[in-house]
Amino acid sequence: MQFDKNFNFKDKEKKWYQKWEDNKIFKADENSEKEPYSILMPPPNVTGMLHFGHVLNHTLQDLFIRRMRMDGREVVWFPGMDHAGIATQTKVEQKLKEEGLSRHDLGREKFVAKVWDWKEEYGGIILEQLKRLGISCDWDRTLFTMDETASKAVEEMFIRLYDEGLIYKGKRIINWSPLAQTALSDEEVEFKEVHEKLYTMKYYFKGTDSYLKVATVRPETIFGDIAVAVNPNDIRYKKLIGQKVIVPLVGREVEIIGDDYADPEFGTGCVKITPAHDPNDFEIGKRHNLESINTINPDGSMNELAGKYAGLDRFEARKLVIKDLEESGLMEKIDDYTHNVGFSQRGGEPIEPYLSDQWFVNMKPLAEQALKVVQDGEIKFHPNHWVKTYEHWMNNIRDWCISRQLWWGHRIPVYYDENGNHTAARTEDEARTKLNLSSDAILKQDEDVLDTWFSSWLWPLTTMGWFDENGNENLDNPTMKKFSPTDLLVTGPDIIFFWVARMVMASKNVKDEIPFKNVYFTSLIRDGQGRKLSKSLGNSPDPLNVMDKYGADAVRFTILYLAPLGQDVRMEVDLEAQDIPSMEVGRNFANKLWNAGRFLNMKVEQFGETNEMPLESELSLSDKWIQSKLHETISKIDDCLNNFKVTEYSKTLYDFIWSDYCGWYIESLKIESYSNTDELNKKKLAFAINIFNEVLKLLHPVMPFITEELWHLLNKKAENESISTQQLIKSDDSVISKSVIYDFDKLMTLVETTRSLKSSTPSVSAEQRLKLGITSNEKITQLIEDNLNLLKELTKSTEIILNNTSEGISVKGVTNFAEINLYVGEVVDVEQEKERLSGEIKRLEGQVFGINKKLSNASFVDNAPASVVEMERKKLSDMSEKIEQLKESLISFS
RNA sequence: GGGCGAUUAGCUCAGUUGGUUCAGAGCAUCUGCCUUACAAGCAGAGGGUCGGGAGUUCGAGUCUCUCAUCGCCCACCA
């Protein structure tokens, strides 16, 4: 192995991932003695393709998984995939369509077989794509929601809830997707504001010229009209209740009924009642024992009850109905109208409220327990404010429509006898027994399948083997015992109801246990205009392209660096180039790290290797400083990760590596090495690499590939070893020396002040070596003397005069502990220097004024803590001294 | 209509319990450097009355109220 000029991530990512898999790094052992740590992967859709939401989500999970693995835990990450009923069925149906076939041409069995074929061939691309990210799942445990063990669980759950009376069948208005031709749950419907028209039609009283004005946005539903409602307290219409009016175009007479639902303030105060096509109307219909007339087909076209409009799509029919109403003088008026309409979350088409028989889960009893564990803090949300959203939903929960008129999915285990009696059962025989039927009775299984989320909500149970391959239940199996409940769930807040809440319900119901202890809700990734990155908008570059360009490590790092907890991430997107330019942050950081490694390697080649560390007495201030900073950093990182502050975690490491290690420590190391013996340099280098190794370990969870490569290169490790299994060191307070940090900080300030002086003096270049005078107290003077060479080189000085009394032309800078004279020779621009000094004096005097004001305020001095007052006094005297020094300097120029 | 979140430098965002180093970082901009780890870099500089207003306090970016703007979720009167 050798050090390339750049990290060749393309080859190395592939190589190391292979090694990790070969060496079973990700394999979890439920029999281990180690403390467990577990995460369930939110199963991506089998039809899914990698997007940036996945990247963020899985980077986060991998961060915690890898971190805990290195922290001595027995770690498991359960991967898997979701069968995605509608999406997958649609995909395969589309393919069939290209061959001129429909699923009905094949029949149920053949079609489902076809879907399985599709799954084997194309399904699971997403999991391969995720591997590019470097995620460390225990792939041997991969579960598909249609696998036998998972399907068995679904069946069992259904039967148990059925037997408990929590699952029931009901005729209700549900959300119908005309595109997928199936019912949807309330959660699968998105409401959007649309601009439409409000049509006011004339409903004549029979044989008269008078009519009621009735408004609707959906004139095509008049064929289902069964009544007109008015408010019983509405004096305009009160007396008309019980009379009949004629539905325009249809000719049917319908009764005027009184119902509070009709709002006298809205429109004309009269509302047509169409129970089959509107949930509110359905309720009214139930109250008044009205008939429901369904006039729309499952595909969204009008049925034969719509007369001449039969066969037309509902929106086409609407246009015609409007035209006919206008032509026959039955349209009173048309107004602009803005309201909300439900759209299918998946298909995007308008949802049709549709009256049909469906299966529901009674959610209230399940919600109670699930609400409690979150309110009690047994399950913690990060950020916490999602608890309120969760509570609101749980408190207003509605029954869950779980039946889908699809073929791809878990078929509902309900059997009907010839009289339509039904029961849920594992086998036909069991059904016959439950229904008290003879053993030769003919049964029919329900045609519908279950909502995909009905398998997803069992994920915590099925991934851990609730049922084994033989169909036996085992809630006490070793995996469950070891890893349940899981420690962390990372997911988007958009599926808090779909999934998170329901998993809690299922686990409490089945096992009386919470499924996870912490839920981390990720941010949404948005483009430069604040739009969510999404496939349908087409505003997301392919993460694979971005990874090709910057490397997986860079993408992982950047996305963590930019993704604060609980807030969305905005990233400028260049679609043409399939690029996200801000990924440069991560790439540059990786490059910085790589070059630090190269530098250390170069020095090893120069000085040689040793395992021997320098003696305590041989350590320089900078050595001790970086050691202190390392332990400070470790402690801070611990804190960040314990509190899920991943952005701060990455920033902390970024700053430590870039500024502390590379900016100051390596630079100091270089300078000091010139005057050390080779033998000492060799040991000091071992020390430096030691620190670097710890840095690599800290960074490994977010940048696994480059850290693995560097660790191998610098430590000459065998390929079957991995940094992944190295243990992190704990932060040791006794290593952190406040005085060392204080001292080094003083040196840094001196260096920075000198550099600033130089750069603000036009006649002097940064490289030009000048004489430097520093005047300070005894302690600082001693510090400078001890580190004279280091300071001389960092400031690029010819010499440093302490307690300076030198003559000559100098520019002056002051810190709050020292006075610096930079001897610039004859060339200094006097006027400019005077201006600079005056400006500085003015700035300080402003501050002094403020402090004086504070200190002369009796209530401040009396009420503020003594330490604060003392601080202000010290500040005042420091600044006054500075001002004096600068003024002296100003005088010397006059 | 109800709830949640946001508003700090040109842009993206940090700012933990109100009090030194609190007004910060990165990017962008400007100036100077190809210094033998790194120009994907180094050194330096400019830039903000912390959305408006009021209040609590000796003291507010930080706490309270209010207004404004933006985003999200839930509900859904034809």
Side-chain angles (χ1 to χ4, degrees), chain A residues 86 173-177 182-191 343-345 351 358-360 363 393 398-405 451-454 497-498 502:
Chain A
I86 296 176
I173 294 264
I174 44 80
N175 307 295
W176 182 264
S177 158
T182 177
L184 299 175
S185 66
D186 294 334
E187 289 71 36
E188 287 164 293
V189 178
E190 276 178 349
F191 283 89
F343 291 84
S344 160
Q345 196 187 45
I351 285 300
Q358 302 290 345
W359 289 95
F360 296 89
M363 299 295 267
W393 192 68
R398 303 193 297 175
D399 289 354
W400 175 17
C401 176
I402 51 171
S403 42
R404 296 290 178 274
Q405 287 65 52
D451 182 4
T452 305
W453 296 102
F454 196 91
F497 309 135
F498 273 114
R502 289 177 184 155

Side-chain angles (χ1 to χ4, degrees), chain A residues 31-57:
Chain A
N31 300 315
S32 152
E33 295 292 312
K34 293 191 223 166
E35 197 189 339
Y37 187 87
S38 53
I39 294 182
L40 303 167
M41 175 190 287
N45 285 356
V46 63
T47 56
M49 295 302 253
L50 190 71
H51 57 65
F52 273 96
H54 294 122
V55 172
L56 170 61
N57 191 289

Side-chain angles (χ1 to χ4, degrees), chain A residues 746-792:
Chain A
K746 292 290 166 276
L747 292 185
M748 290 193 288
T749 304
L750 288 171
V751 171
E752 282 164 347
T753 309
T754 307
R755 284 172 178 170
S756 176
L757 271 180
K758 261 192 181 172
S759 114
S760 62
T761 309
S763 55
V764 174
S765 76
E767 296 71 42
Q768 199 172 338
R769 285 188 176 264
L770 297 170
K771 187 168 81 171
L772 194 64
I774 302 176
T775 308
S776 185
N777 63 38
E778 200 179 323
K779 202 173 156 240
I780 299 288
T781 305
Q782 185 60 49
L783 172 69
I784 296 169
E785 224 166 316
D786 292 344
N787 296 279
L788 199 61
N789 188 51
L790 181 64
L791 194 60
K792 199 178 96 185

Side-chain angles (χ1 to χ4, degrees), chain A residues 63-75:
Chain A
L63 163 67
F64 285 100
I65 284 286
R66 285 183 182 270
R67 165 86 185 179
M68 291 302 170
R69 191 179 285 125
M70 296 174 81
D71 208 19
R73 304 275 204 104
E74 185 62 32
V75 163

Side-chain angles (χ1 to χ4, degrees), chain A residues 695-739:
Chain A
V695 171
L696 292 176
K697 284 196 254 168
L698 293 171
L699 199 55
H700 181 68
V702 60
M703 300 182 104
F705 297 108
I706 193 171
T707 48
E708 182 77 292
E709 177 76 8
L710 283 169
W711 186 74
H712 276 82
L713 286 173
L714 286 172
N715 300 289
K716 312 248 182 327
K717 294 289 182 183
E719 295 219 327
N720 60 0
E721 290 187 82
S722 172
I723 189 173
S724 289
T725 54
Q726 301 301 302
Q727 292 297 295
L728 293 165
I729 61 167
K730 302 279 180 204
S731 172
D732 182 353
D733 281 348
S734 70
V735 179
I736 303 173
S737 164
K738 294 277 176 218
S739 74

Side-chain angles (χ1 to χ4, degrees), chain A residues 295-517:
Chain A
T295 63
I296 297 180
N297 290 315
D299 65 356
S301 65
M302 306 304 294
N303 70 16
E304 66 287 353
L305 293 175
K308 71 175 216 193
Y309 309 96
L312 291 175
D313 179 79
R314 59 204 195 282
F315 297 113
E316 287 303 314
R318 179 183 301 176
K319 285 182 201 160
L320 268 183
V321 167
I322 293 163
K323 190 166 153 261
D324 291 345
L325 283 169
E326 285 179 321
E327 283 173 4
S328 46
L330 293 166
M331 185 75 83
E332 171 80 11
K333 58 171 178 169
I334 301 176
D335 299 305
D336 287 333
Y337 188 59
T338 301
H339 69 146
N340 289 324
V341 173
F343 291 84
S344 160
Q345 196 187 45
R346 186 150 295 283
E349 83 280 17
I351 285 300
E352 197 58 41
Y354 198 69
L355 184 63
S356 62
D357 275 315
Q358 302 290 345
W359 289 95
F360 296 89
V361 179
N362 176 3
M363 299 295 267
K364 262 219 160 64
L366 295 169
E368 277 167 23
Q369 298 174 300
L371 178 58
K372 190 168 184 299
V373 290
V374 170
Q375 283 179 329
D376 293 353
E378 221 184 313
I379 296 175
K380 292 193 179 64
F381 286 177
H382 310 274
N384 185 253
H385 65 77
W386 288 107
V387 169
K388 289 205 173 166
T389 307
Y390 182 87
E391 278 175 348
H392 182 261
W393 192 68
M394 287 298 197
N395 286 326
N396 296 282
I397 200 153
R398 303 193 297 175
D399 289 354
W400 175 17
C401 176
I402 51 171
S403 42
R404 296 290 178 274
Q405 287 65 52
L406 304 171
W407 288 349
W408 174 242
H410 301 100
R411 192 157 171 187
I412 292 180
V414 164
Y415 297 88
Y416 301 84
D417 70 9
E418 286 165 321
N419 301 317
N421 299 314
H422 57 77
T423 189
R426 291 152 194 90
T427 62
E428 290 204 4
D429 280 342
E430 192 189 16
R432 288 190 189 96
T433 310
K434 282 173 101 171
L435 290 168
N436 285 320
L437 297 171
S438 64
S439 62
D440 57 352
I442 293 172
L443 292 175
K444 216 176 136 231
Q445 188 176 354
D446 199 293
E447 293 291 329
D448 290 352
V449 300
L450 289 161
D451 182 4
T452 305
W453 296 102
F454 196 91
S455 57
S456 310
W457 77 331
L458 305 176
W459 197 240
L461 300 159
T462 49
T463 46
M464 297 209 207
W466 179 14
F467 287 90
D468 64 21
E469 285 75 13
N470 303 317
N472 296 318
E473 178 176 15
N474 189 356
L475 279 173
D476 268 331
N477 70 60
T479 304
M480 286 239 189
K481 269 190 164 152
K482 181 76 183 172
F483 295 116
S484 182
T486 58
D487 294 87
L488 178 63
L489 179 77
V490 179
T491 189
D494 49 333
I495 54 175
I496 185 168
F497 309 135
F498 273 114
W499 195 45
V500 179
R502 289 177 184 155
M503 277 194 285
V504 181
M505 295 179 191
S507 293
K508 284 297 286 181
N509 181 271
V510 171
K511 240 191 137 187
D512 196 22
E513 186 187 78
I514 55 170
F516 30 72
K517 299 171 200 159

